[in-house]
């Protein structure tokens, strides 16, 4: 398994680490709730109203770990576009990132805010009900997306127009079609691709 920014590992304090573990445990405990969330989330996925159907499929524990490795040592803030039940945003907040989740489904936004409050992360982890296609991501240093393959080309175009030269994009499960990943972490459904946005590399 690849490791990113090994040398900056010490940047993460022991405190953040232990909080991270606690968070993962809590996300695990809430697994039963996920079944309930599926039930209320599914009716909101109305393909006719969307560019593509992007269903609620929560990241696995392994996938969250891979995303955390992908942003290890990075500075600044983070956004998860299509944040689901908020698990990636909360894990990033536990690792010291000022984090934002945007999510179309109001129930999932509501659930994420409750989880943030339970974990005492309401300041570091914020959730908004917003369409990711209408969200301007330009102010974010780290952008996470767990999408579906059919949307990645459109998303590549969109992010190319707005991100700044030092942004890092982390794609879960499905890679972008034309960008070159600087690193790939994990395998199978938990694979994450890392793209470092450089002025000359991605602009079309
Ligand atoms: C595959 S899930 C990933 C959830 C979360 N990022 C994770 O990894 O656990 C995608 C999420 O995007 C949400 N979504 C779908 N279309 C969206 C849109 N246009 N704007 C914002 N969120 C959207 C879905 O409701 C779903 O919760
Ligand atoms: C996004 O916001 C930035 C900074 O405010 C702005 O320069 C840019 O034009 C915006 N992009 C789009 C596509 O709205």
């Amino acid at each position: 398994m690849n490791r990113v920014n090994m040398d900056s590992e010490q940047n993460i304090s022991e405190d953040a680490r232990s909080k991270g573990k606690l968070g993962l445990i809590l996300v695990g405990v809430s697994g039963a709730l996920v079944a309930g969330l599926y039930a209320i989330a599914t009716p909101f996925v109305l393909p006719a109203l969307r560019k593509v159907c992007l269903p609620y499929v929560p990241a696995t524990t392994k996938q969250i770990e891979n995303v955390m490795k992908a942003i290890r040592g990075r500075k600044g803030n983070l956004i998860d576009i299509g944040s689901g039940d908020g698990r990636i945003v909360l894990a990033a907040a536990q690792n010291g990132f000022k984090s934002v989740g945007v999510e179309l489904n109001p129930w999932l936004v509501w659930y994420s805010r409750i989880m943030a409050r339970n974990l005492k992360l309401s300041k570091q982890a914020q959730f908004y009900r917003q369409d990711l296609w209408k969200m301007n991501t330009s102010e974010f240093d780290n952008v996470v997306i767990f999408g579906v393959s059919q949307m990645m080309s459109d998303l590549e175009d969109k992010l190319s127009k707005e991100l700044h030269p030092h942004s890092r994009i982390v794609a879960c499960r499905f890679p972008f079609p034309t960008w070159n990943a600087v690193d790939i972490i994990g395998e199978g459904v938990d694979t994450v691709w890392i793209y470092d946005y450089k002025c000359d590399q991605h602009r079309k």
Side-chain angles (χ1 to χ4, degrees):
M1 186 179 307
N2 298 324
R3 286 207 144 202
V4 182
N5 292 330
M6 287 281 282
D7 52 347
S8 53
E9 220 172 326
Q10 59 266 41
N11 287 357
I12 303 168
S13 69
E14 275 314 308
D15 182 47
R17 263 179 221 281
S18 56
K19 272 203 212 147
K21 283 204 189 95
L22 176 66
L24 289 178
I25 291 162
L26 287 178
V27 168
V29 168
S30 72
L33 269 169
V34 166
L37 288 174
Y38 270 121
I40 55 173
T42 308
F44 281 85
V45 184
L46 303 170
L49 298 177
R50 313 272 178 257
K51 283 191 169 182
V52 286
C53 172
L54 171 56
Y56 166 59
V57 180
T60 62
T61 304
K62 192 81 212 157
Q63 197 173 340
I64 298 171
E65 278 172 27
N66 291 340
V67 173
M68 293 308 113
K69 280 180 197 160
I71 57 172
R72 188 172 284 169
R74 294 275 304 168
K75 297 214 160 49
N77 56 9
L78 174 143
I79 186 168
D80 182 9
I81 48 177
S83 53
D85 56 24
R87 54 185 65 201
I88 287 178
V89 173
L90 294 169
Q94 284 168 329
N95 283 295
F97 291 87
K98 177 101 171 93
S99 306
V100 168
V102 293
E103 166 59 52
L104 216 46
N105 181 324
W107 295 98
L108 293 175
V109 175
W110 170 84
Y111 176 82
S112 301
R113 286 178 181 157
I114 296 201
M115 286 301 284
R117 198 186 308 171
N118 288 348
L119 292 165
K120 303 207 180 341
L121 289 169
S122 298
K123 280 213 182 76
Q124 300 96 308
Q126 282 168 350
F127 296 93
Y128 302 98
R129 180 165 186 262
Q130 171 122 33
D131 186 342
L132 69 89
W133 297 107
K134 295 182 184 149
M135 175 80 205
N136 185 341
T137 56
S138 66
E139 66 188 84
F140 291 92
D141 306 296
N142 303 283
V143 178
V144 180
I145 172 70
F146 175 6
V148 288
S149 54
Q150 305 93 290
M151 72 187 283
M152 298 312 275
S153 179
D154 284 346
L155 194 60
E156 194 177 76
D157 287 346
K158 175 183 156 55
L159 295 177
S160 293
K161 287 178 191 131
E162 43 190 58
L163 286 175
H164 64 73
H166 305 293
S167 303
R168 170 168 286 189
I169 303 112
V170 180
C172 303
R173 196 169 300 188
F174 301 101
F176 286 100
T178 71
W179 288 350
N180 296 314
V182 295
D183 206 350
I184 302 170
I185 301 179
E187 52 197 25
V189 294
D190 298 322
T191 309
V192 308
W193 286 261
I194 303 175
Y195 305 88
D196 277 348
Y197 190 91
K198 299 203 182 68
C199 279
D200 55 346
Q201 194 182 342
H202 300 310
R203 289 201 200 274
K204 292 192 171 163

